[in-house]
Amino acid sequence: MNRRPKVPVLPGAEPYRHEGGEAGVLLCHGFTGSPQSLRPWAERLAAHGLTVSLPLLPGHGTRWEDMQLTGWQDWYAEVDRELRALRERCGEVFVAGLSMGGTLALRLAAKHGDAVSGVIIVNPANKMHGAAAHALPVVRHLVPSTKGIASDIAKEGSEELGYDRVPLHAAHALRNLFRQVDRELPQVTQPLLLLRSPQDHVVPPADSARILGRVSSRDVTEILLEQSYHVATLDHDADRIFEESLAFIGRLAPSVGKEGTAAGG
């Protein structure tokens, strides 16, 4: 079988890893995005002594045509592998994500149970909205891509490194992922921190409401990010996200206070 030559990863879209202490965090980036959108968050967690993994999802971080060859099972398999690797070297592991990355994090929590100590999600996506979603099964065979969704950010001068086109085969796969994870949400029992932007031009508030209504978690915190749009991790509320997630992890993982946040914060 002839395979295309491998396209180099865009500068800034590389995966990020940091070897830290006994508590680990797996960060999952969003659909058509890259690790760049979560890199400042990953670096803040690492600076506080945490072990951090921020993988690049298959088909991402190169060119949008590469995403046409991937599906949600590929994206999930990547974060599932990373979680298992973190579990081998960390006593406690937390999963976190932005947008579709939040959807993947919720699936990891549903599937891995007690192996995941807590979930942190920012503007998580749960459903593909609008009439166009219903046409995807057919349209994806006729039209390769549509306008991109990257860089929904309020902060002047801040940009997300993501594709300027959305490949429709991948969008169809994303729709199937949302349906799959929606069914699995009642299996999520871990402490949950959900941070969302009331002004989000990509994912509506209904998605967060649906997630909060369907998970079985009892320890749930919802925080509004009033100054930010969808990619809040690169927006005005980024520091708030970083600090709230550190406090959440510190509360649930006693080792963090001893080796990370107490000394670094």
Side-chain angles (χ1 to χ4, degrees), residues 11 15 39 42-43 45 52 54 74 81 112 121 129 147 161 167 182 199 204 211 214 224 234 239 245 252:
R39 184 68 179 256
E43 290 176 345
L45 296 171
V52 182
L54 169 52
D74 302 304
R81 260 194 306 275
H112 287 271
I121 46 181
H129 300 267
K147 186 165 64 76
L161 180 60
D182 188 67
Q199 287 191 80
I211 289 165
R214 283 185 62 71
L224 296 185
L234 297 177
D239 270 339
S245 57
L252 296 167

Side-chain angles (χ1 to χ4, degrees), residues 4 16 24 28 37 63 76 102 136 139 144 234:
R4 294 186 202 170
Y16 172 88
C28 310
S37 61
R63 57 186 186 183
Y76 179 74
L136 268 176
V139 174
L234 297 177

Side-chain angles (χ1 to χ4, degrees), residues 152-176:
D152 183 36
I153 300 172
K155 187 177 180 181
E156 194 73 29
S158 183
E159 284 197 28
E160 180 188 15
L161 180 60
Y163 294 150
D164 59 2
R165 306 293 298 170
V166 172
L168 291 189
H169 276 299
H172 181 63
L174 178 65
R175 185 179 181 224
N176 290 336

Side-chain angles (χ1 to χ4, degrees), residues 33-51:
S34 76
Q36 177 261 356
S37 61
L38 302 183
R39 184 68 179 256
W41 191 5
E43 290 176 345
R44 180 72 66 89
L45 296 171
H48 284 266
L50 292 153
T51 293

